[in-house]
Structures are given as C-alpha cells and as structure tokens.
Amino acid sequence: MQIVVEHFPAYRFKAINETANEVHMDASPNIGGEGTGMRPMEMLLAGLGGCSGIDVVSILKKKKQEFTSFKMHVNGERDPKEVPSLFKAIRVDFYFEGENINNDKVIQAVELSIGKYCSVAKTLEKSAVITYSIFVNNHEISRVNI
C-alpha cells in the first residue's frame, strides 16, 4: 500500500492512493491554513469511520440485514497541552434506519468491527479509549463505555 502526499501552497496537501483517488488536507486557519481540506487528525477519525463502516456493512450483508440508512458520528478528544497531542478518547455513534432490522445482529456487527476486525480501531486504541453507542430508528439499543 502506498500513498503519495503532494504539497501545494501554504499548508495544503493532496494524498493520492495507488488507484488515483484523492483526499485534500489543510492546516487550520489559525496557523496559516486555508480550510481547503480535512486536517490530518480528522483524517484519522474519518479512517476509523470508514474502516468500521466497511466491516459493519460486510457483516450485516452476511447476516442478511438490510437498512435504508447508515451513518456514524465520530468524535475525538485530544489534550492540546501535550506534544504530540494524541487522541485520548474517541466516541463513535452508529445510526441505522430501516424496517425489520434485528438489533442483536447490528450489535454483534459493531462489536466485531470495533473489537476485532477494524485495523484503524486496533491502531488507535493504543492511545485512546474507544467507546460507542448504537441507534436503530432513533432508539439507542446499545452503549459501550469502557
């Protein structure tokens, strides 16, 4: 796996993968960035959401679970006084909508992703406590606070 990261004026960067997909990054405006892309630490949170999301969709497909909507809110907390300022706590809220969703199967899919399969979660858990909640049709069905 290789990513090429190319610098543009100021603090802008473009990351390109081996199949030419692009992601744009930038620093915050308070240090001279222009706000034209995600910040690198935001990319880590996005990576966690993407990694876990792919796992969850795959597991739910195998369990023949269909949903009409699936999204995640990923929130990270850092200590700005520390250098480097690593994530100390990450919270992921999983939101599913659809008819005939089996709550137990959704809980199992999320547990397997965060606890076993998601490489990004396993990497980030070395410095951060990862907790999550699962909502189906706007009702919380599970909460994991470690």
Side-chain angles (χ1 to χ4, degrees):
M1 178 183 317
Q2 181 182 28
I3 303 292
V4 174
V5 180
E6 184 179 352
H7 175 251
F8 289 87
Y11 291 94
R12 294 184 0 223
F13 289 87
K14 176 172 67 174
I16 308 163
N17 70 3
E18 293 172 326
T19 55
N21 296 302
E22 298 180 1
V23 175
H24 296 265
M25 296 176 279
D26 198 355
S28 66
N30 65 338
I31 67 163
E34 299 171 345
T36 62
M38 283 195 179
R39 296 181 194 148
M41 293 299 280
E42 292 171 336
M43 294 288 296
L44 285 174
L45 296 179
L48 173 59
C51 179
S52 182
I54 289 168
D55 290 342
V56 168
V57 168
S58 176
I59 293 165
L60 291 177
K61 282 182 182 270
K62 290 176 186 169
K63 294 181 176 293
K64 301 193 183 332
Q65 293 296 296
E66 294 184 20
F67 48 85
T68 56
S69 173
F70 170 37
K71 67 180 175 183
M72 293 161 278
H73 293 182
V74 185
N75 297 286
E77 293 180 26
R78 301 164 62 192
D79 185 348
K81 297 175 188 161
E82 290 185 23
V83 176
S85 181
L86 305 177
F87 286 114
K88 297 295 182 193
I90 298 172
R91 174 131 199 109
V92 185
D93 292 325
F94 294 83
Y95 295 90
F96 299 87
E97 291 183 20
E99 295 181 26
N100 303 316
I101 295 175
N102 181 301
N103 291 350
D104 292 334
K105 291 180 180 182
V106 171
I107 291 168
Q108 184 182 34
V110 171
E111 286 175 350
L112 284 170
S113 174
I114 296 294
K116 183 175 183 179
Y117 294 123
C118 177
S119 301
V120 178
K122 300 312 279 180
T123 299
L124 289 171
E125 75 181 8
K126 291 178 168 103
S127 68
V129 174
I130 300 174
T131 60
Y132 58 88
S133 290
I134 305 168
F135 299 83
V136 173
N137 296 322
N138 297 316
H139 298 289
E140 185 174 43
I141 63 166
S142 180
R143 175 180 295 265
V144 174
N145 292 317
I146 298 173

